[in-house]
C-alpha cells in the first residue's frame, strides 16, 4: 500500500481504521447527537447534485440525524433499503464539512491511518466529514490534492479513472458557475454512462471499482477522477 501511495496510484487499505475509537462510538446516532447534535451544519437534500429536487438547508446536526439518517438506518435494519440507492426514504448528505473543527471532541475519535502518515510523511492539511443516507452520490470529479477516504461506518462504492481520462469526460469549463465552477466536474455518470449523449466516453480507460466496508480506507491521488455512491447509511 505504501508503494502505491507514493507512486500516486489508488489503493484500498482494508481494516486501516480498526483502531479508531470512532469505529465503535460512531456506530450509534445517539453518540453523534450527544456530542455534536447542537451544531448547525449545511445539509444537501435531493437525489442528484444540482438536480431539480436538490437543495441545501441549514439545520442542527441533531435534526439531520433524526430527519434523514434515522429513517435511512431503519429502512436498512428492516430490509427496506437496497444497495442501488432506492427505497422510500429521502436522500440527505452532510458533505465535505469540517465538523471536526466545529466539534474537537469528535477529532479524538479519529486519526490518519498509519500507512498514510508513513507514505506521505505527515498529517493531512484538512479533514472533512461526509455523513449521509444510503443513495447519496458524489458526481464524477477530480481534486487538486490527495485524498484519504476513511470509511468509518457503512459501505460505499467508488469508481475511479486516471487524470488522462479527462478528454473522454466532457469536462465543464466552469463558466456556468454553480457546482461546476471549479472546472473539475464531469457530467458523465460512471455507473451508467450515456454513450449517445457522451460518445467519447467509449474511449475511456477501464473504470476502477473500489468497494469500501467499515474500517477501510481508500487513497485517491490528486487529479484522479472519482464518483462515490453510499450503498448504506
Amino acid at each position: 500500500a505504501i508503494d502505491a501511495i507514493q507512486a500516486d496510484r489508488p489503493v484500498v487499505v482494508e481494516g486501516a481504521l480498526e483502531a479508531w475509537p470512532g469505529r465503535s462510538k460512531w456506530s450509534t446516532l445517539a453518540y453523534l447527537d450527544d456530542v455534536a447534535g447542537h451544531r448547525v451544519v449545511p445539509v444537501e437534500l435531493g437525489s442528484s447534485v444540482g438536480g431539480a429536487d436538490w437543495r441545501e438547508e441549514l439545520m442542527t446536526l441533531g435534526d439531520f440525524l433524526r430527519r434523514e439518517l434515522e429513517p435511512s438506518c431503519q429502512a436498512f435494519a428492516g430490509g427496506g433499503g437496497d444497495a442501488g440507492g432506492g427505497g422510500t426514504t429521502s436522500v440527505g448528505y452532510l458533505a465535505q464539512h469540517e465538523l471536526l473543527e466545529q466539534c474537537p471532541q469528535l477529532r479524538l475519535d479519529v486519526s490518519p491511518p498509519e500507512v498514510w502518515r508513513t507514505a506521505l510523511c505527515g498529517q493531512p492539511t484538512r479533514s472533512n466529514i461526509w455523513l449521509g443516507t444510503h443513495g447519496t452520490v458524489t458526481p464524477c470529479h477530480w481534486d487538486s490534492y490527495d485524498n484519504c477516504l476513511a470509511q468509518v461506518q457503512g459501505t460505499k462504492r467508488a469508481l475511479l479513472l486516471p487524470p488522462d481520462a479527462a478528454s473522454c469526460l466532457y469536462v465543464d469549463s466552469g463558466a456556468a458557475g454553480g457546482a461546476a465552477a471549479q472546472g473539475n466536474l464531469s457530467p458523465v455518470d460512471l455507473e451508467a454512462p450515456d454513450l449517445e449523449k457522451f460518445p467519447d466516453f467509449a474511449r475511456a480507460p477501464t473504470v476502477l471499482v473500489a468497494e469500501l466496508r467499515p474500517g477501510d480506507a481508500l487513497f485517491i491521488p490528486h487529479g484522479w477522477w472519482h464518483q462515490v455512491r453510499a450503498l448504506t447509511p
Side-chain angles (χ1 to χ4, degrees):
I2 292 176
D3 290 343
I5 292 173
Q6 292 179 333
D8 283 338
R9 298 196 308 270
V11 62
V12 174
V13 184
E14 296 181 352
L17 319 178
E18 288 304 328
W20 282 16
R23 282 285 296 115
S24 58
K25 290 182 177 180
W26 293 16
S27 63
T28 67
L29 301 184
Y31 173 76
L32 296 175
D33 198 1
D34 288 343
V35 174
H38 61 290
R39 297 289 186 177
V40 175
V41 296
V43 174
E44 298 177 2
L45 299 170
S47 57
S48 178
V49 174
D53 68 336
W54 185 86
R55 66 189 188 280
E56 282 190 298
E57 287 187 18
L58 288 176
M59 64 182 73
T60 65
L61 180 65
D63 284 345
F64 172 61
L65 297 175
R66 287 183 287 274
R67 282 175 43 184
E68 305 293 336
L69 263 292
E70 187 173 354
S72 182
C73 291
Q74 290 174 343
F76 266 82
D82 67 78
T88 58
T89 60
S90 61
V91 175
Y93 213 4
L94 172 60
Q96 197 169 341
H97 183 63
E98 294 185 331
L99 186 62
L100 303 184
E101 297 295 328
Q102 276 187 295
C103 188
Q105 185 175 342
L106 290 178
R107 188 178 291 280
L108 300 177
D109 297 337
V110 301
S111 63
E114 180 64 30
V115 65
W116 171 281
R117 296 197 301 268
T118 301
L120 299 180
C121 303
Q123 300 286 337
T125 55
R126 63 187 300 181
S127 299
N128 294 313
I129 293 292
W130 303 74
L131 179 65
T133 63
H134 66 287
T136 60
V137 176
T138 301
C140 181
H141 70 288
W142 61 267
D143 294 312
S144 59
Y145 43 82
D146 295 328
N147 278 289
C148 176
L149 195 169
Q151 191 66 24
V152 184
Q153 300 293 340
T155 58
K156 279 191 172 75
R157 177 184 296 127
L159 307 180
L160 303 103
L161 283 169
D164 60 11
S167 61
C168 308
L169 289 173
Y170 297 81
V171 183
D172 193 301
S173 66
Q182 298 180 62
N184 65 338
L185 187 66
S186 167
V188 178
D189 180 355
L190 299 188
E191 293 180 300
D194 184 342
L195 294 183
E196 290 191 3
K197 188 174 183 180
F198 306 113
D200 288 350
F201 186 75
R203 300 185 292 101
T206 300
V207 176
L208 303 181
V209 181
E211 301 277 354
L212 301 176
R213 296 175 296 181
D216 292 347
L218 168 63
F219 173 68
I220 306 174
H222 63 278
W224 272 72
W225 295 90
H226 51 287
Q227 176 174 315
V228 184
R229 174 182 290 277
L231 304 178
T232 69

